[in-house]
Every structure is written in structure tokens, then in C-alpha cells.
Amino acid sequence: MRKKTEKMPGGHLLFVLAVVCALALLVMAWALLRDTGADGAAFTPPPFEENAQQGEPEVPQELGYSFLNAQEYEVGICGAPVVKNGSAVLYMTNPASNKVWLKVRILDESGQMLGESGLLKPGEYVEAVELTSMPEEDIAVVLKIMAYEPDTYYSAGAASLSTTLHIDA
């Protein structure tokens, strides 16, 4: 039997390990709970589309408007968009049956963003997306459609459509 005055071997080591574990848990909790993106900046939710309209648009047939099924959601969009008055006419539609918010980015072949919509709630559409960079001639683009879960802004997936952006003469 040990005397009460004897110290248990490794007692200091056990205390140090417990402190290190507690600190590691605190650091992990802080890393999980802080609201930052991959670049360390705080996440800023995308704005809602200022020009959103309710309902389903009436789209000219020559714009190649159709609905794409991205498994978790559908999106209505023009497959042959045109540039008119500094904007890309897309008629992007978030059907009322969806449970996600949608937005689109228009990217050139090098991945540079030419324009971006705001978020569309289910049952909304936007006729055109303002371009920040104006192409001088028809250009190959990618329409990157991004879906967000309402209120949390968690990603609900993305889909891309390669097409040509036509300059309206």
C-alpha cells in the first residue's frame, strides 16, 4: 500500500495531457464555429435579385429557353442568350416547385466573371443579367448556376451550361 504523501508516477504528465486535450478541443470548437470562408474572410451572403419578377416568363422561342434538371432542383434558362443594352438576356427562372434559392454567374472561357445575378426565390425569374465586361463579338461562355439552401446559405449544388453569348445587332 502507498502512503498518502507519495506522488503517483506520471501525475504531472497526466495533468499536462489533460490541459493539451482541453486546448485542442477549444481550438477545434473555435474553428468550426467561426464564420469565415476559405480565404479567411467572413462569409457575406449574396444579395437577392433586385429585378426579380414573380411567375413564369414568356420567352421568345429563338432564345432556346428550357428547363434543366439538376437532380435537387430545376432551373429555366436560355440556351442561346443574347446581349441587349449591356445585359445578357437569360430569363433565368427558379420554378415555384424548388426548395432552393438560385443565382447565375456568366463566365468567359478563362473563368473571368462577365456578370452575375442576385438570388432568386422559388417562383421568381430575372429577364436579364447586367454585364460588368462587355464582349465585342459573340463569345463562348459558361452559365454557372448555384443553388443555396434558404436561410442557411449552405450550397445545394451547382450546374454549368456551356453556350455562346450572342451580340444583338
Side-chain angles (χ1 to χ4, degrees):
M1 238 183 186
R2 293 182 189 208
K3 293 182 185 176
K4 288 188 177 184
T5 57
E6 279 184 38
K7 289 193 174 181
M8 199 172 195
H12 290 293
L13 179 62
L14 187 59
F15 175 75
V16 170
L17 288 175
V19 169
V20 169
C21 286
L23 285 173
L25 287 172
L26 287 173
V27 168
M28 285 190 292
W30 174 78
L32 289 172
L33 296 176
R34 70 184 183 132
D35 193 19
T36 60
D39 62 355
F43 173 73
T44 303
F48 286 93
E49 176 59 47
E50 293 176 5
N51 298 314
Q53 299 178 47
Q54 293 291 320
E56 297 279 331
E58 290 188 29
V59 184
Q61 190 173 6
E62 64 270 12
L63 295 179
Y65 181 80
S66 62
F67 283 88
L68 305 174
N69 185 335
Q71 294 181 345
E72 296 297 318
Y73 58 89
E74 282 192 331
V75 60
I77 199 156
C78 294
V82 297
V83 175
K84 216 180 224 181
N85 300 324
S87 296
V89 179
L90 299 173
Y91 285 99
M92 180 162 152
T93 306
N94 188 354
S97 59
N98 279 347
K99 300 202 181 331
V100 296
W101 295 335
L102 298 177
K103 77 178 208 172
V104 65
R105 281 189 180 150
I106 304 167
L107 308 170
D108 68 12
E109 289 179 311
S110 68
Q112 180 180 352
M113 188 166 58
L114 302 175
E116 178 177 38
S117 75
L119 291 173
L120 294 172
K121 294 177 182 176
E124 294 182 339
Y125 73 94
V126 63
E127 180 179 336
V129 174
E130 186 176 340
L131 297 174
T132 56
S133 177
M134 185 62 68
E136 295 178 14
E137 56 188 31
D138 292 0
I139 182 174
V141 295
V142 172
L143 304 178
K144 184 174 181 182
I145 300 148
M146 295 168 281
Y148 296 87
E149 292 181 8
D151 301 320
T152 64
Y153 294 93
Y154 289 149
S155 174
S160 295
L161 171 66
S162 295
T163 188
T164 300
L165 188 58
H166 301 281
I167 305 302
D168 190 29

